[in-house]
């Protein structure tokens, strides 16, 4: 299928579309395609991301640290690529083509992820374990790289493209559109975080049944296909503007020239200038230089911010892994560990209106000058407090955890009472047992043979004639808590089978006795619980989620509102790119600590992150104290060349008004501005 995209002159294009584009209730019909596209895309991204760390641990077989490292590397890439997407859209393809082409890359990545999770592809011996894990790992890494390029690349384009669909007289409709747009983002995020863990908890497979990661990744992939089709379907109705240059590139070139020019004139014979950016005056106009100065002033405040995101994004990694060690039984239903992430968007929907309508007005009535930078400082401290709560909870979990040699913290011992003595009386027989062994997610426990006095695998039995199996134990298990059950089959030499399902629990130890009097066709009734499962309930995590969400509301939403208010009228996108970059750097901090920290206890790592954020909060508070708030409109007006003065103030005021309306819509709707919903 081939699509032809034709770009006309901006004014000609707008006139044509205004005459021919259908409308509904005063809104361009085209925006409905964009809203549906955004809902499906956000469902796809957050659905895949919700189960990603568990996929690394329980399917690929990585430990907690490596799973966390790869997870945060992926998230960091997702927030580095928006810069590339903005350059592609503004300087080369235009927003529409950039969204389409990068969405195709995005879709391919999601499909590859779904394929990588199908264990039957390389399970040639049909034992439930992939025979070529390198293939699955390579496929998943390729899929994640394509997803990062796709989701990051379209991130700065979709909302702006939606705003392009409105005419100047549709300012009110444009304002409402952003509300609907960000509502679709939150709806997609919330629903996917709820649904995909349920899909993952299902069992599927051709030869053996396991956790259905292919379905958990496949549904987001299908939603991404729908998003692409819906977006392309509306192409005949869109208002599309030709690429007109990237302001981000202009800013970078201006800064680069200033540095180069200053270096070339570093001798004392050249007089100093008031600001180092003034060295760009030989090539760039003073208005652009003044705007760059304002941007750099805000970007300087961004330096401490990555530490907040380093803690915030661990909700999807460390906190999810912590939930796997807890009891998710909520009576009539069971909460999956990855479903706990849904607490954040639910609390956001509740907290934002409360903060805006109750908390902030109350603080104002108390005559407390709660400036935006002070709010952000409080938000960082609340995030640190959330990690203190996580550390205290981890200490309680560790105290109830037995000291197993297996990293899975689940022990199952199978005792065969044939020809091996154990101190257990069995009627009519002298009791015998094979030494017990641990079963964990990192051990290959398939095709184990219970024999006279030993346990061996099939290949060993072929080499050792004395190892004649009296019963073969085919063991497959899903050790993800809330799905704690072991399915095993006992097969004798005649081919008779006995299937048994053992319900497990994290932090538990079980002994299964297979007596010599065992007859095929009967159930294995001799199961003993040596150590009871961990009883720390998953609901205790709500405390740390609540503190983190409160911190997010006063940090992230306030931060973007402040950034837009302090940015020049034509450089909002530059600040957006800078904001997303702090998210990427924050995730890089996590993977460095996870790999290089090597702390013996998880609670200690939580305390380390909390301490680092407190220290950074103090630094940020000092920087905020010396910060002088700017009026970008007033500064820009000094450099405007248009006459008369009233005209340039009016035009500049219109631009600023549009931008502030955009920001207010983002803030009031809690939306995407909280970064994770961008």
């Amino acid at each position: 299928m081939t699509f032809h995209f034709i770009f006309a002159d901006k004014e000609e294009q707008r006139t044509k579309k205004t005459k021919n584009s259908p409308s509904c209730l005063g809104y361009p019909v085209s925006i409905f395609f964009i809203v549906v596209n955004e809902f499906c895309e956000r469902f796809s991204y957050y659905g895949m991301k919700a189960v990603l760390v568990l996929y690394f641990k329980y399917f690929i077989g990585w430990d907690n640290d490596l799973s966390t490292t790869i997870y945060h590397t992926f998230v960091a890439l997702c927030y580095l690529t928006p810069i590339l997407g903005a350059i592609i859209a503004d300087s080369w393809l235009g927003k529409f083509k950039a969204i389409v082409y990068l969405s195709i890359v995005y879709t391919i990545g999601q499909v590859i992820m779904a394929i990588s999770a199908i264990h039957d592809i390389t399970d040639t011996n049909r034992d439930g374990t992939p025979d070529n894990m390198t293939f699955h790992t390579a496929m998943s890494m390729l899929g994640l790289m394509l997803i990062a390029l796709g989701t990051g690349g379209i991130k700065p384009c979709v909302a702006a493209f939606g705003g392009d669909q409105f005419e100047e007289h549709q300012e009110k409709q444009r304002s409402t559109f952003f509300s609907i747009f960000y509502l679709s983002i939150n709806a997609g995020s919330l629903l996917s975080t709820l649904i995909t863990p349920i899909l993952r908890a299902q069992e599927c497979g051709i030869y053996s049944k396991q956790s259905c990661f292919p379905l958990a990744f496949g549904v987001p992939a299908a939603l991404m296909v729908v998003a692409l089709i819906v977006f392309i379907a509306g192409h005949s109705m869109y208002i599309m503007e030709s690429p007109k240059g990237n302001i981000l590139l202009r800013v970078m070139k201006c800064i680069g020239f200033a540095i180069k020019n200053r270096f070339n004139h570093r001798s004392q014979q050249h007089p100093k200038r008031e600001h180092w950016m003034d060295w760009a005056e030989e090539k760039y106009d003073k208005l652009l230089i003044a705007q760059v100065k304002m941007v750099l002033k805000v970007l300087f405040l961004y330096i401490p911010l990555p530490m907040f995101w380093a803690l915030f994004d661990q909700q999807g990694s460390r906190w999810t892994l912590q939930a796997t060690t807890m009891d998710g039984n909520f009576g009539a239903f069971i909460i999956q560990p990855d479903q706990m992430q849904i607490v954040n968007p639910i609390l956001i929907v509740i907290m934002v209106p409360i903060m805006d309508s109750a908390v902030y007005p109350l603080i104002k009535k108390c005559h407390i000058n709660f400036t935006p930078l002070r709010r952000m400082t409080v938000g960082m401290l609340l995030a640190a407090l959330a990690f203190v709560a996580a550390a205290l909870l981890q200490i309680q979990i560790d105290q109830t955890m037995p000291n197993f040699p297996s990293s899975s913290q689940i022990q199952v011992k199978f005792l065969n009472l044939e020809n091996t003595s154990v101190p257990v009386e069995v009627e009519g027989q002298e009791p015998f047992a094979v030494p017990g062994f641990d079963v964990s997610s990192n051990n290959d426990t398939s095709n184990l043979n219970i024999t006279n006095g030993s346990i061996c695998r099939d290949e060993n039995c072929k080499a050792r004639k004395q190892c004649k199996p009296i019963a073969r134990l085919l063991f497959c298990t899903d050790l993800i808590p809330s799905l704690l059950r072991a399915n095993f089959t006992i097969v004798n030499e005649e081919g008779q089978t006995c299937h048994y399902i053992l319900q497990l629990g994290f932090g538990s130890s079980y002994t299964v006795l297979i007596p010599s009097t065992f007859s095929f066709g009967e159930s294995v009734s001799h199961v003993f619980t040596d150590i009871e499962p961990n009883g720390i309930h998953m609901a205790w995590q709500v405390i740390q989620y609540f503190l983190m969400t409160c911190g997010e509301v006063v940090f992230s939403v306030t931060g973007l509102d402040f950034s837009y208010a302090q940015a020049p009228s034509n450089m909002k996108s530059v600040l957006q790119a800078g904001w997303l970059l702090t998210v990427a750097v924050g995730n890089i901090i996590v993977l460095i600590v996870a790999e290089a920290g090597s702390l013996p206890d998880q609670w200690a790592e939580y305390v380390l992150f909390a301490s680092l954020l407190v220290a950074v909060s103090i630094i940020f508070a000092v920087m905020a104290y010396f910060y002088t708030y700017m009026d970008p409109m007033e500064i820009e007006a000094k450099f405007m060349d248009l006459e008369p003065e009233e005209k340039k103030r009016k035009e500049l005021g219109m631009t600023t008004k549009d931008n502030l309306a955009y920001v207010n819509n983002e803030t009031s709707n809690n939306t995407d501005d909280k970064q994770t919903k961008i």
Side-chain angles (χ1 to χ4, degrees):
M1 183 179 295
T2 303
F3 298 95
H4 299 279
F5 309 121
I6 302 175
F7 294 90
D9 178 78
K10 177 180 175 181
E11 294 301 324
E12 178 184 348
Q13 180 94 356
R14 283 194 171 273
T15 303
K16 179 181 178 181
K17 293 293 182 182
T18 303
K19 292 180 180 179
N20 299 330
S21 295
S23 62
C24 179
L25 301 177
Y27 295 87
V29 174
S30 58
I31 68 165
F32 296 102
F33 293 91
I34 298 173
V35 169
V36 174
N37 165 269
E38 185 66 12
F39 169 82
C40 295
E41 188 274 328
R42 290 291 85 185
F43 186 107
S44 178
Y45 174 74
Y46 285 106
M48 178 275 304
K49 187 166 167 275
V51 301
L52 187 58
V53 73
L54 297 185
Y55 168 77
F56 291 151
K57 181 175 182 179
Y58 293 106
F59 185 89
I60 301 296
W62 292 334
D63 60 19
N64 287 1
D65 287 342
L66 183 56
S67 299
T68 300
T69 298
I70 301 301
Y71 174 90
H72 286 284
T73 301
F74 166 69
V75 176
L77 287 175
C78 289
Y79 288 95
L80 285 172
T81 50
I83 298 176
L84 178 62
I87 294 174
I88 291 174
D90 292 344
S91 305
W92 181 26
L93 295 177
K95 296 185 186 72
F96 177 73
K97 279 188 174 182
I99 294 171
V100 171
Y101 295 156
L102 290 173
S103 293
I104 293 174
V105 174
Y106 192 168
T107 304
I108 294 173
Q110 289 282 34
V111 172
I112 291 176
M113 278 299 298
I115 295 174
S116 74
I118 303 176
H119 64 276
D120 291 311
I121 291 179
T122 62
D123 186 12
T124 54
N125 58 5
R126 304 185 180 184
D127 62 353
T129 303
D131 300 323
N132 186 1
M133 191 57 72
T134 302
F135 168 81
H136 295 275
T137 303
M139 287 285 287
S140 61
M141 294 302 100
L142 174 61
L144 290 177
M145 285 189 289
L146 294 177
I147 292 171
L149 176 60
T151 187
I154 68 175
K155 203 180 295 292
C157 303
V158 180
F161 185 70
D164 290 344
Q165 307 309 305
F166 294 88
E167 299 296 322
E168 293 182 0
H169 66 277
Q170 295 177 307
E171 183 177 335
K172 182 178 180 181
Q173 288 87 343
R174 183 192 301 119
S175 175
T176 306
F177 159 74
F178 283 114
S179 301
I180 299 173
F181 181 83
Y182 292 120
L183 177 62
S184 71
I185 292 173
N186 284 304
S189 168
L190 196 151
L191 288 176
S192 63
T193 307
L194 174 66
I195 293 173
T196 51
I198 297 176
L199 299 177
R200 190 268 306 156
Q202 307 304 309
E203 291 189 337
C204 61
I206 300 174
Y207 308 126
S208 61
K209 303 298 181 183
Q210 298 185 16
S211 284
C212 204
F213 283 106
L215 183 61
F217 290 141
V219 171
L223 265 291
M224 196 57 223
V225 173
V226 173
L228 179 59
I229 293 174
V230 168
F231 185 75
I232 293 177
H235 77 279
S236 61
M237 305 178 190
Y238 295 141
I239 295 176
M240 293 179 282
E241 298 182 4
S242 300
K244 52 185 178 182
N246 194 305
I247 187 64
L248 178 60
L249 288 179
R250 291 188 64 201
V251 170
M252 295 173 64
K253 289 179 179 180
C254 183
I255 295 174
F257 180 80
I259 295 174
K260 179 181 178 181
N261 197 32
R262 177 67 184 91
F263 180 80
N264 293 335
H265 299 82
R266 60 187 181 276
S267 60
Q268 295 182 354
Q269 63 182 10
H270 299 285
K272 292 184 178 181
R273 302 188 182 183
E274 183 178 353
H275 191 280
W276 64 271
M277 275 302 304
D278 292 334
W279 288 94
E281 290 180 350
E282 283 81 352
K283 185 175 181 180
Y284 295 93
D285 59 81
K286 292 185 177 181
L287 174 59
L288 177 62
I289 294 173
Q291 292 171 329
V292 172
K293 288 179 182 179
M294 288 186 279
V295 168
L296 291 175
K297 188 176 181 180
V298 177
L299 289 178
F300 178 72
L301 283 177
Y302 281 178
I303 294 176
L305 302 190
M307 201 64 224
F308 174 87
W309 301 121
L311 276 69
F312 179 85
D313 276 334
Q314 290 189 59
Q315 293 176 95
S317 57
R318 289 299 197 198
W319 286 13
T320 298
L321 293 173
Q322 183 187 59
T324 65
T325 66
M326 306 174 72
D327 180 13
N329 191 346
F330 281 78
F333 56 93
I334 295 177
I335 292 292
Q336 305 297 327
D338 34 2
Q339 279 183 312
M340 282 301 294
Q341 298 175 55
I342 201 174
V343 174
N344 175 257
I346 291 176
L347 288 177
I348 276 290
V349 173
I350 298 173
M351 291 300 299
V352 169
I354 292 176
M355 297 296 291
D356 288 340
S357 60
V359 177
Y360 291 154
L362 180 61
I363 293 176
K364 188 175 182 180
K365 286 185 178 181
C366 295
H367 304 289
I368 298 176
N369 187 19
F370 201 34
T371 63
L373 294 180
R374 290 177 181 175
R375 292 183 189 180
M376 294 175 67
T377 304
V378 171
M380 297 168 78
L381 293 175
L382 286 171
L385 191 59
F387 263 62
V388 172
L392 294 175
L393 179 59
Q394 188 65 47
I395 291 174
Q396 294 299 314
I397 294 173
D398 293 343
Q399 288 178 348
T400 63
M401 200 68 65
N403 187 21
F404 289 150
S406 168
S407 63
S408 72
Q409 296 297 319
I410 298 176
Q411 187 180 64
V412 183
K413 296 176 291 183
F414 292 89
L415 302 181
N416 174 31
L417 305 185
E418 180 78 15
N419 301 327
T420 307
S421 179
V422 292
V424 177
E425 293 185 3
V426 179
E427 184 178 356
Q429 296 284 337
E430 183 181 2
F432 293 91
V434 171
F437 59 90
D438 294 339
V439 175
S440 75
S441 59
N442 296 325
N443 295 336
D444 179 12
T445 57
S446 60
N447 295 328
L448 292 174
N449 292 272
I450 301 176
T451 67
N452 296 341
S454 64
I455 297 177
C456 62
R457 303 186 186 279
D458 283 346
E459 58 269 22
N460 295 330
C461 292
K462 293 177 182 179
R464 295 166 53 199
K465 299 299 183 181
Q466 72 275 16
C467 188
K468 297 179 180 179
I470 61 167
R472 186 175 61 186
L473 183 66
L474 300 177
F475 187 88
C476 62
T477 181
D478 185 348
L479 296 183
I480 302 177
S482 301
L483 285 179
L484 292 173
R485 59 182 179 271
N487 303 310
F488 61 89
T489 303
I490 302 173
V491 184
N492 66 3
E493 292 180 333
E494 286 73 31
Q496 292 179 302
T497 61
C498 174
H499 302 281
Y500 185 70
I501 298 177
L502 175 62
Q503 297 296 325
L504 307 176
F506 200 91
S508 59
S509 177
Y510 304 88
T511 299
V512 181
L513 298 180
I514 306 176
S516 58
T517 57
F518 172 78
S519 299
F520 284 86
E522 68 180 35
S523 62
V524 181
S525 58
H526 303 280
V527 178
F528 302 92
T529 303
D530 304 321
I531 301 176
E532 292 291 336
N534 191 352
I536 305 296
H537 203 277
M538 210 178 288
W540 284 104
Q541 279 197 320
V542 173
I543 298 175
Q544 62 206 53
Y545 273 101
F546 174 76
L547 291 171
M548 182 62 75
T549 303
C550 291
E552 179 186 6
V553 170
V554 296
F555 175 86
S556 183
V557 177
T558 303
L560 275 181
D561 192 358
F562 163 81
S563 300
Y564 274 80
Q566 295 292 286
S569 57
N570 65 335
M571 294 191 182
K572 308 297 184 184
S573 60
V574 176
L575 265 298
Q576 177 74 359
W579 182 268
L580 295 175
L581 188 61
T582 66
V583 182
V585 175
N587 282 272
I588 293 173
I589 292 174
V590 178
L591 64 93
I592 291 174
V593 173
E595 283 298 307
S598 300
L599 295 176
D601 299 304
Q602 184 57 55
W603 67 265
E605 183 178 291
Y606 288 145
V607 172
L608 173 62
F609 274 109
S611 302
L612 290 174
L613 185 56
V614 170
V616 168
S617 300
I618 296 173
I619 296 173
F620 182 77
V622 174
M623 295 170 63
Y625 178 80
F626 291 100
Y627 182 83
T628 303
Y629 289 83
M630 303 176 295
D631 183 353
M633 185 179 69
E634 181 179 345
I635 294 174
E636 289 176 322
K638 296 178 181 179
F639 298 94
M640 295 286 285
D641 296 326
L642 297 177
E643 294 291 345
E645 186 72 11
E646 291 296 325
K647 179 178 179 180
K648 54 188 178 182
R649 283 188 175 273
K650 181 179 179 180
E651 292 182 352
L652 190 58
M654 289 291 290
T655 304
T656 306
K657 182 178 179 181
D658 286 343
N659 283 316
L660 289 178
Y662 175 76
V663 176
N664 290 335
N665 270 284
E666 291 176 320
T667 305
S668 64
N669 288 284
N670 121 55
T671 76
D672 218 68
D673 289 358
K674 59 182 203 78
Q675 171 268 326
T676 52
K677 299 298 182 291
I678 295 179

